[in-house]
Amino acid sequence: MIHIKNKSEIEKMYAACQLAAEVLERTGELVKAGISTQELNDFADEYTIKKGARSAPLNYKGFPRSICTSINEVVCHGIPDPAQILRDGDIINIDITVVLDGFHGDTSRTFAVGPISESTTRLVQDTQKAMYHGIAAIQPGNRVLDIGAAIDNYLTPLGYGIVRDLTGHGIGREFHEKPAIPHYKNQEARDRLKAGMTFTVEPMVNAGTWEVDFDQNDGWTVRTKDRRLSAQFEHTCLVTKDGYRILTRL
Ligand code: MF3
Ligand code: CO
Ligand code: CO
């Protein structure tokens, strides 16, 4: 079932989402060649705890860290590691989810480490634009599938691969609630959007094929099958009576 949040639940969602956005902003300021993904993890986790919240990924289905850090060909769910050091020319998605007062806020961005190539810049910018095209399709009466269709219509002519195996998701008291939000055209996503629904829009966009591999050793890391680059942006959104509100926008 899809949870419809009432006024007080929406206030709590907003507070959690604003904290997630703040943690992402502050953690992103540390992105620089030479820093390890573990240092980013530890900064984000301490900041979250200081604000009276906790990091949702830690121990979630056995995930071993507090944030996800996904570099270059890693699509998502990269595990922070002290031995993994950022280098100029890398792109890194930092994905922050906090739980505050019982509610989840989930947001991510892809950052450049120093100068990156023109085609990589385009991938990152096009991915962010695609997310906003998807979000712009949110209004009561539209269907979930309208979000993915808007993203697909924007990206597919540009030649990118849109990841299909992972989706956006409802969010609230649970990290992942119904409905799933595909980022590609999927005629099965027929649920109607209703005021009070909260969910993420988080397209993962590949330079090459949409196909991905799941790491068999760590059980988490998702990579592009062709090992070309992947970018991602994520916001948590609320359906309002006349459109939407981006809860993770600072
Ligand atoms: N934050 C991710 C999402 O956007 C989920 C991470 S699950 C974890 O849905 F276990 F890897 F943390
Ligand atoms: Co999410
Ligand atoms: Co996320």
Side-chain angles (χ1 to χ4, degrees):
M1 88 168 228
I2 300 176
H3 292 281
I4 302 297
K5 277 80 178 176
N6 65 30
K7 200 163 174 247
S8 95
E9 292 170 321
I10 289 166
E11 276 167 21
K12 289 178 182 176
M13 278 300 294
Y14 181 69
C17 286
Q18 286 294 296
L19 177 59
E22 186 182 326
V23 176
L24 179 59
E25 179 79 20
R26 295 293 308 277
T27 307
E29 288 167 4
L30 303 181
V31 168
K32 195 182 190 311
I35 197 168
S36 72
T37 51
Q38 183 70 46
E39 289 174 277
L40 298 175
N41 177 88
D42 294 351
F43 173 84
D45 193 54
E46 282 164 29
Y47 194 97
T48 299
I49 288 167
K50 255 189 240 150
K51 298 284 178 170
R54 68 176 176 87
S55 303
L58 187 61
N59 301 322
Y60 177 75
K61 298 186 176 174
F63 191 77
R65 296 286 188 277
S66 297
I67 67 172
C68 297
T69 49
S70 302
I71 297 175
N72 296 339
E73 76 282 0
V74 176
V75 170
C76 64
H77 303 167
I79 302 172
D81 187 321
Q84 185 177 52
I85 310 293
L86 301 189
R87 298 184 306 183
D88 280 330
D90 285 343
I91 56 172
I92 176 173
N93 175 278
I94 300 178
D95 193 336
I96 302 287
T97 311
V98 304
V99 192
L100 179 65
D101 201 4
F103 286 83
H104 290 72
D106 189 6
T107 184
S108 86
R109 267 155 55 188
T110 298
F111 298 89
V113 185
I116 56 173
S117 74
E118 217 174 280
S119 65
T120 306
T121 304
R122 238 179 349 242
L123 168 69
V124 173
Q125 288 177 348
D126 290 340
T127 301
Q128 187 171 32
K129 282 186 196 159
M131 175 189 66
Y132 284 116
H133 280 290
I135 290 171
I138 300 173
Q139 58 171 88
N142 275 5
R143 295 184 194 271
V144 167
L145 61 84
D146 292 311
I147 297 167
I151 293 170
D152 204 330
N153 286 338
Y154 174 69
L155 288 174
T156 299
L158 299 176
Y160 295 114
I162 304 170
V163 172
R164 303 170 76 93
D165 302 65
L166 300 123
T167 63
H169 50 91
I171 181 167
R173 287 189 186 277
E174 302 293 330
F175 197 157
H176 295 107
E177 300 183 352
K178 283 190 172 158
I181 313 286
H183 303 110
Y184 58 95
K185 270 186 196 141
N186 181 333
Q187 294 307 320
E188 284 160 32
R190 303 197 66 79
D191 289 313
R192 296 271 187 197
L193 303 181
K194 248 185 96 175
M197 286 172 60
T198 49
F199 53 79
T200 70
V201 178
E202 51 177 305
M204 285 145 270
V205 180
N206 300 348
T209 180
W210 59 269
E211 291 181 282
V212 299
D213 280 339
F214 295 81
D215 193 300
Q216 298 302 305
N217 297 309
D218 69 25
W220 283 102
T221 308
V222 182
R223 295 184 182 80
T224 55
K225 192 152 239 165
D226 58 12
R227 300 301 189 257
R228 292 182 67 190
L229 296 176
S230 185
Q232 181 182 23
F233 285 79
E234 173 175 26
H235 271 312
T236 299
C237 303
L238 166 72
V239 184
T240 62
K241 67 181 194 319
D242 45 17
Y244 62 88
R245 182 166 170 215
I246 300 176
L247 299 178
T248 43
R249 178 144 67 196
L250 277 179

